[in-house]
Amino acid sequence: MSWLGTADRTRTGRAPSGAPGRRPTPGAGPDAQPGLLPGIPRQRGGPALAAQEIPDQEATTGQDGTPAGGRRGGRVRSWRFLPWRLLPTPAGTPFTFGYALLLVATSLIAEYGDPGLVSELLRGSSTDVAHLAQSPLMVLVASALWIAGGMTSAYAIGFLFVLTALERRLGGLRTAAVFFGGHVLATLATELPVAFSVAAGRLPETSLHRLDYGISFGVMTCIGALAGLLPAWLRWPLLAGVGYLAVTDLLAYADPMTDWGHLLSLTLGVAAWPLLRRWRTHRTRPAPLLADLRRPVLEGARTS
């Protein structure tokens, strides 16, 4: 057979005239796309072929763009139905897992350590105005190493579930940026007015040494951020419930400065929705095909 007959067979999927007995290539026929090679998936110009060869993206990936799970008996298992993925793991969520181990260690020290040593450590980690003026970077980091209320507090439980879900969608570095960004901004936004009020004579000087530590500002920021990445039927109930608790605590006026910080942290997470969605889109964007990477080079060589 001549090369001309081979090309004709490739385009139409039929054997050329004068070549009886040859069966057409499976998958090719009169409706085949011109210029496509039969049996080779993911070719340009062949959406129908690509739809047959490539599984649906939603069937093979979770909401965060990661593989949904292994195959068993020809069925794809989605991670959304695996309860243990709600908790941090060393491989899946290294930032949340490592940070949780650190918080467990400091909580055990606070629970069973010498009371005098624990009191000294907490005061040295406090983000009050006096410590922020002396060593701001050290206390901003150290204050996020303790859990106010211990490992059984609501913020400790929220830390595990919220940061795990956020890291599975954004990755470890971006989750850390959201957490510590909210922690730092909310701390400065609540402590700087105290400094100005003391300077103006509206608050006593003892307010400069107020004990302030914990992960609550970072957790509230992550809750607000996570809500923007969830479906609407989960997003709005989550925001309504957490917002109601924050406003209720503020109206109780037991610790107004901290309660204002919680509400502000939640607002910071909500304000970051456009940035977080761009991050998630960039993270879940499929890798370009090898043909797409080499096409500019081939086109340049063709025109030269």
Side-chain angles (χ1 to χ4, degrees):
M1 182 188 299
S2 65
W3 66 270
L4 185 59
T6 304
D8 180 70
R9 181 174 179 270
T10 301
R11 288 195 301 270
T12 63
R14 297 191 299 269
S17 60
R22 292 188 177 271
R23 294 187 304 175
T25 304
D31 299 332
Q33 294 286 341
L36 295 182
L37 298 178
I40 301 179
R42 305 188 74 175
Q43 301 180 61
R44 288 187 173 273
L49 181 61
Q52 296 175 3
E53 297 291 343
I54 304 175
D56 186 15
Q57 180 74 10
E58 295 181 358
T60 57
T61 58
Q63 290 184 353
D64 58 349
T66 58
R71 293 178 179 269
R72 175 176 297 178
R75 299 176 62 184
V76 178
R77 295 182 302 169
S78 175
W79 70 265
R80 288 173 291 183
F81 301 99
L82 303 179
W84 52 87
R85 289 184 64 91
L86 298 175
L87 296 175
T89 58
T93 55
F95 168 71
T96 306
F97 185 83
Y99 198 179
L101 291 181
L102 184 60
L103 291 175
V104 169
T106 56
S107 298
L108 292 176
I109 293 174
E111 182 71 21
Y112 301 105
D114 179 70
L117 176 62
V118 171
S119 178
E120 184 177 352
L121 289 175
L122 293 179
R123 291 192 176 278
S125 304
S126 175
T127 52
D128 52 46
V129 177
H131 284 95
L132 285 174
Q134 296 173 1
S135 52
L137 183 59
M138 188 192 74
V139 295
L140 284 172
V141 174
S143 63
L145 301 179
W146 305 91
I147 304 177
M151 292 184 291
T152 59
S153 66
Y155 289 106
I157 299 173
F159 175 91
L160 287 178
F161 291 104
V162 172
L163 266 74
T164 298
L166 192 62
E167 186 172 357
R168 291 194 186 279
R169 287 161 173 79
L170 297 180
L173 291 178
R174 289 166 179 169
T175 301
V178 173
F179 181 89
F180 287 107
H183 172 74
V184 171
L185 291 177
T187 298
L188 295 178
T190 52
E191 293 293 344
L192 289 179
V194 174
F196 294 145
S197 298
V198 171
R202 296 184 178 181
L203 288 177
E205 292 188 2
T206 54
S207 301
L208 300 177
H209 304 277
R210 176 181 174 275
L211 192 62
D212 188 14
Y213 64 91
I215 60 172
S216 59
F217 289 172
V219 172
M220 291 292 284
T221 305
C222 290
I223 291 175
L226 177 63
L229 304 179
L230 295 176
W233 64 274
L234 281 177
R235 176 188 310 142
W236 303 118
L238 176 63
L239 284 180
V242 177
Y244 172 78
L245 293 176
V247 172
T248 302
D249 292 341
L250 183 61
L251 294 177
Y253 213 74
D255 191 356
M257 192 179 73
T258 301
D259 296 332
W260 270 116
H262 291 161
L263 198 57
L264 175 62
S265 302
L266 185 65
T267 306
L268 289 174
V270 173
W273 283 0
L275 177 61
L276 299 177
R277 287 167 178 169
R278 284 198 298 270
W279 281 354
R280 183 182 180 184
T281 302
H282 177 75
R283 184 172 184 264
T284 58
R285 184 179 302 164
L289 299 177
L290 182 60
D292 296 337
L293 295 176
R294 298 180 59 184
R295 181 168 180 165
V297 178
L298 296 177
E299 289 179 351
R302 192 179 303 161
T303 55
S304 59

